[in-house]
Amino acid sequence: MGDADVLAATEIGLLQGGDRAAIVAALAMLNARGVLASGAGRVRRTGSLPPECEPLERALYAALYGSVGPGELGRQKRVQRALRDGRRSLARRGLARTPGRRTLLPILLVVLPPALLVKLVAAGVVGVTEGLVAVVVLVGIAVWSLPLRTVAGTRALAAARERHGDLLERPDLEPAEVGLAVALFGTPAAQALMPRFTRDAGLLDGGRNSHQVDSRLDSSPWGANTSSFWN
């Protein structure tokens, strides 16, 4: 069984567009399952969660207290935890890079070796040309390490697009297929499949903030501003 066969919709979303894409795909599936209502840039529960939901769907559903905007919902602790678990699962399977690989390694490659090369060039141990070539190579490696996807992850995503490329042309999609379409093709797919929900739920801009959510918000890397998470 290949990677394209085992990737869930929210995992494809993570590989395709990061946390935001995964959340949009999960909310699209929850809407397709008939358990969400939308309005004024927010979503709220309207039904019971079915057993076949993905972990991120469960986390979003559990984090819904009252009527909440998608951007604000994405900063809830349990949602952030589900997203981290998803990224770790992808990393364990070789489809995504770990946070340390994506941040620490590029910093080390850009800062430390060039500083050392400057000293070596000044001491006459390495020529200027060789030093510049080495710096360019190291910076290239650092840039290559920045994306979330690995080469295997990119291949798996391409295979998923090929396998599910006809989703937007098919009628009566199952909720999981709706999630796959939105994860693979982004908000244009959501607008095509569920235009009213996409607009009323605030999927395009993160929606509106609410004071009815769980106060136990995570101090996420995007900060407390919803727009900083969604944009």
Side-chain angles (χ1 to χ4, degrees), residues 156-216:
L157 194 57
R161 287 197 197 99
E162 182 177 357
R163 181 180 181 184
H164 303 293
D166 65 338
L167 283 174
L168 295 181
E169 302 171 5
R170 290 162 48 188
D172 303 324
L173 296 180
E174 296 294 326
E177 293 175 323
V178 169
L180 285 171
V182 173
L184 286 168
F185 307 112
T187 49
Q191 289 176 293
L193 294 172
M194 45 185 69
R196 181 173 180 179
F197 177 78
T198 301
R199 180 188 68 246
D200 294 349
L203 294 188
L204 300 179
D205 59 5
R208 296 176 56 190
N209 287 338
S210 169
H211 299 294
Q212 302 182 49
V213 298
D214 184 1
S215 61
R216 296 168 294 174

Side-chain angles (χ1 to χ4, degrees), residues 30-51:
L30 288 171
N31 176 68
R33 299 186 197 281
V35 300
L36 289 186
S38 61
R42 298 171 183 163
V43 293
R44 59 182 175 83
R45 301 179 186 176
T46 58
S48 300
L49 200 64

Side-chain angles (χ1 to χ4, degrees), residues 87-152:
R87 290 191 295 269
R88 288 169 181 163
S89 174
L90 291 170
R92 284 195 300 268
R93 290 143 64 189
L95 303 176
R97 295 181 175 89
T98 61
R101 179 73 177 274
R102 296 181 65 205
T103 56
L104 182 59
L105 181 60
I107 291 174
L108 292 176
L109 288 173
V110 170
V111 176
L112 296 182
L116 177 60
L117 283 169
V118 169
K119 294 182 179 180
L120 293 176
V121 170
V125 177
V126 177
V128 175
T129 302
E130 291 82 356
L132 289 174
V133 170
V135 169
V136 170
V137 170
L138 291 171
V139 171
I141 295 174
V143 172
W144 178 81
S145 300
L146 285 175
L148 172 66
R149 292 195 304 269
T150 62
V151 173

